[in-house]
Amino acid sequence: MSNTFDIKRFWNYLKYDLVSAGNDSGLTLAILGAMPVFFYGIIEAFSLIFSGHVTNIGFAGKVGAYVLAIGISLIFFPAKHYGTLTDKRHGSNWLMLPASRQEKWLSVLLVTCVAVPLFLLAELAATDGLLSLIFNGTYGATALKDICSGMDSVWSELSTEAGRIALSWPYGLYLSWCENILFFTLGSLCFKKSKVGKTFLAAFLLGMVVTMLTTLTLKIFGLPTELELSDVTEEGFIRGINIVIYAIYLVYFAVVDVLIYLRIKTLKH
């Protein structure tokens, strides 16, 4: 049996990781997935109290439920599920599990970037759809339908005869989820206390450092820090944007994934 990767051993560990995630975070994720119900109930309750009748739920109210549920999930889940690995008792037990560090690292990526968003989106879509079906008069169309229509309109505005952004909006939103939850996962594995707060602080400081280094690099090499759009063709501008987008994502995920792996590899108690 390979000490690096064995498919059967990895599958057994992945099942353990998923069950463990369900035990420690499943209820909270289920509650967050029902956020459209809470938003709808709160808005209608306030409407009854102050106006005496129910009201139609606007676009902001329906989409707000999605945004809040997703935002809390990508911050909460890493600290709740993987944050305990820095604790001596839980971390020691985890280190003794029969799986290699590579298998545990791959499981972290699959759970955070595949299992959690699938579960959360499925429940959000289910509760959103049921509200639209049962309370169609006041809830209206599903939030997913409104989101898709809105994002399609925005993306169509970004498309021109010269070209378009080489990234569909569903894929862009998914990559945004992955980059954020992986960063909070890294913070949960690195910080022993105040994991969420310290991760936010690290993101703020890192953003400042990257901005200053980028500006300094441009000045050192004599490159313009301000882009004159008149000097760039529309086709060249779109092509440049696409290159920058993919380069940033490639570098970001390579760095964060490697750092998570190194942290798992060096985790000791």
Side-chain angles (χ1 to χ4, degrees), residues 24-25 28-29 32 66-84 112 116-117 120 176-189 191 194-201 203:
D24 60 42
S25 306
T28 303
L29 288 175
L32 291 172
Y66 273 72
V67 173
L68 185 62
I70 292 172
I72 293 176
S73 297
L74 62 85
I75 295 171
F76 152 81
F77 179 78
K80 179 66 175 178
H81 184 53
Y82 293 113
T84 57
T112 56
V116 173
L120 184 64
S176 179
W177 164 277
C178 292
E179 67 176 323
N180 283 286
I181 198 169
L182 288 176
F183 189 82
F184 277 94
T185 300
L186 179 60
S188 298
L189 291 171
F191 302 121
S194 304
K195 298 176 182 292
V196 173
K198 289 180 179 178
T199 303
F200 270 115
L201 180 60

Side-chain angles (χ1 to χ4, degrees), residues 61-132:
K62 290 186 287 187
V63 175
Y66 273 72
V67 173
L68 185 62
I70 292 172
I72 293 176
S73 297
L74 62 85
I75 295 171
F76 152 81
F77 179 78
K80 179 66 175 178
H81 184 53
Y82 293 113
T84 57
L85 300 185
T86 58
D87 176 71
K88 185 175 181 179
R89 182 170 65 86
H90 290 91
S92 297
N93 293 335
W94 180 79
L95 291 173
M96 296 298 292
L97 291 173
S100 68
R101 300 301 175 95
Q102 290 86 349
E103 291 161 351
K104 292 176 179 178
W105 169 74
L106 183 57
S107 178
V108 169
L109 299 185
L110 290 176
V111 170
T112 56
C113 295
V114 179
V116 173
L118 278 178
F119 174 80
L120 184 64
L121 184 59
E123 190 181 2
L124 283 169
T127 54
D128 179 39
L130 285 174
L131 286 172
S132 178

